């Protein structure tokens, strides 16, 4: 079989046929009165605009391939990832953003440069066409898990507020009282990543591997990349969730501590 050298282009007609696929979810929305047609059109349009804009910017960044610009791009991604995590939860952004940004950045950068330096062994670990896409994959997966973890953590504590206060009143420290909620939220956020890893290759072919194969890369090499990136994603997700939960525990429960002091005085 001849090796594929150039990936098949998608023309205007391809995008038209792609847009026609949206008729199916629109019909479902209309029949069940889900009310998502307008929202779906806006989101798909926004996604398309953002991706084309990023594509143009990345073309310039890849051509320049300046280490400073590449690292700056990664830090901009980290800022928006951290901000999105907090915006997607019940917690106020302001008090948590600086600390969470620093710790979330450390967790992602450590794994990112470990991956580029020791696993794929790049001569230039700041090379844009590796650094930026890999950073995006690590952050994207970690972002979703963090939103799940913090929302579950918040709801769990809220639903068991009296039990949490009771533990504090009988002498438990804040960390001891919150540990069961931390444990449950971390487990719930990591389950999707573990499920994806367990079914990968059997139920579905992951995006990175599929993209490389479509681009003409040998399937075995594509598999090697996919295995290593999934391990890196899992590690980054665990570290990211841990960091976010710890920040919330340290900075988000001062009001409860004051409440417990008042109860003890009574």
């Amino acid at each position: 079989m001849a090796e594929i050298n150039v990936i098949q282009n998608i023309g205007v007609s391809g995008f038209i046929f792609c847009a026609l696929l949206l008729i199916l979810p629109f019909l479902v929305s209309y029949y069940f009165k889900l009310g998502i047609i307008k929202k779906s059109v806006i989101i798909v349009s926004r996604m398309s605009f953002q991706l084309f804009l990023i594509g143009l910017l990345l073309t310039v960044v890849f051509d320049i391939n300046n280490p400073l610009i590449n690292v700056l791009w990664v830090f901009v991604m980290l800022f928006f990832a951290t901000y999105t995590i907090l915006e997607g939860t019940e917690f106020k952004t302001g008090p948590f953003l600086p600390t969470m940004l620093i710790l979330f950045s450390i967790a992602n950068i450590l794994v990112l440069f470990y991956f580029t330096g020791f696993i794929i062994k790049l001569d230039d670990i700041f090379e844009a066409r590796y650094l930026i896409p890999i950073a995006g994959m690590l952050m994207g997966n970690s972002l979703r898990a963090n939103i799940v973890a913090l929302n579950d953590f918040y709801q769990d504590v809220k639903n068991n507020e009296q039990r949490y206060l009771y533990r504090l009143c009988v002498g438990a420290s804040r960390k001891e009282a919150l540990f069961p909620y931390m444990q449950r939220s971390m487990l719930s956020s990591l389950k999707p990543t573990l499920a994806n890893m367990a079914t990968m290759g059997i139920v579905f072919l992951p995006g990175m591997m599929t993209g490389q194969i479509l681009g003409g890369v040998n399937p075995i090499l594509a598999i090697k990349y996919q295995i290593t990136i999934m391990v890196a994603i899992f590690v980054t997700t665990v570290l990211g969730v841990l960091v976010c939960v710890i920040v919330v525990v340290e900075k988000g429960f001062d009001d409860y501590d004051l409440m417990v002091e008042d109860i003890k005085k009574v």
Side-chain angles (χ1 to χ4, degrees):
M1 183 175 65
E3 185 177 356
I4 301 172
N5 293 316
V6 180
I7 193 168
Q8 183 70 24
N9 187 32
I10 299 176
V12 176
S13 62
F15 275 100
I16 293 174
F17 281 111
C18 179
L20 290 175
L21 282 174
L22 292 171
I23 293 174
L24 295 175
F26 289 171
L27 289 174
V28 173
S29 176
Y30 178 79
Y31 183 81
F32 288 99
K33 295 180 173 57
L34 302 178
I36 63 169
I37 296 177
K38 182 179 178 180
K39 185 176 181 180
S40 299
V41 171
I42 293 172
I43 289 175
V44 170
S45 301
R46 177 182 171 181
M47 174 196 70
S48 302
F49 173 77
Q50 289 174 173
L51 287 175
F52 273 113
L53 179 62
I54 291 298
L56 293 173
L57 291 173
L58 283 177
T59 301
V60 176
V61 172
F62 287 2
D63 288 340
I64 297 173
N65 196 29
N66 181 284
L68 184 60
I69 295 176
N70 299 343
V71 171
L72 180 62
W73 185 288
V74 171
F75 274 108
V76 171
M77 293 167 65
L78 284 165
F79 173 81
F80 279 104
T82 308
Y83 184 81
T84 303
I85 289 169
L86 292 172
E87 280 291 293
T89 65
E90 302 286 345
F91 297 98
K92 294 180 180 179
T93 303
F96 302 102
L97 183 59
T99 305
M100 193 173 291
L101 175 60
I102 292 170
L103 296 177
F104 186 72
S105 298
I106 291 172
N108 279 269
I109 288 172
L110 285 175
V111 178
L112 174 62
F113 285 117
Y114 184 89
F115 186 87
T116 56
F118 293 100
I119 296 177
I120 58 177
K121 298 179 181 179
L122 294 177
D123 293 329
D124 178 10
I125 61 173
F126 299 103
E127 188 173 347
R129 71 188 186 96
Y130 286 95
L131 185 70
I132 295 173
I134 291 171
M137 283 187 282
L138 296 180
M139 288 180 220
N141 287 272
S142 181
L143 184 150
R144 287 191 292 271
N146 278 300
I147 291 175
V148 171
L150 293 185
N151 276 326
D152 284 3
F153 180 69
Y154 175 84
Q155 289 299 328
D156 205 5
V157 174
K158 185 177 180 180
N159 294 337
N160 296 277
E161 182 177 14
Q162 296 303 318
R163 185 176 299 175
Y164 168 62
L165 290 172
Y166 172 77
R167 287 173 177 161
L168 292 176
C169 290
V170 297
S173 67
R174 182 195 298 180
K175 291 180 181 178
E176 289 172 338
L178 289 173
F179 183 80
Y181 312 117
M182 295 170 63
Q183 186 182 50
R184 284 195 290 269
S185 66
M186 292 177 71
L187 283 172
S188 65
S189 67
L190 295 175
K191 281 181 179 178
T193 302
L194 291 170
N196 280 340
M197 294 172 70
T199 57
M200 198 165 287
I202 299 175
V203 177
F204 73 102
L205 293 179
M208 181 184 189
M209 177 180 168
T210 302
Q212 287 184 314
I213 291 174
L214 289 174
V217 173
N218 182 284
I220 299 300
L221 179 57
I223 287 169
K224 291 178 180 178
Y225 267 86
Q226 190 62 58
I227 291 171
T228 53
I229 195 64
M230 284 309 302
V231 172
I233 285 172
F234 178 62
V235 173
T236 307
T237 301
V238 171
L239 293 177
V241 168
L242 176 64
V243 162
C244 288
V245 171
I246 288 176
V247 170
V248 168
V249 168
E250 292 296 327
K251 292 184 171 291
F253 289 85
D254 292 338
D255 291 340
Y256 278 114
D257 291 347
L258 293 174
M259 189 186 304
V260 171
E261 290 300 322
D262 292 338
I263 292 173
K264 287 181 177 180
K265 289 177 182 178
V266 175

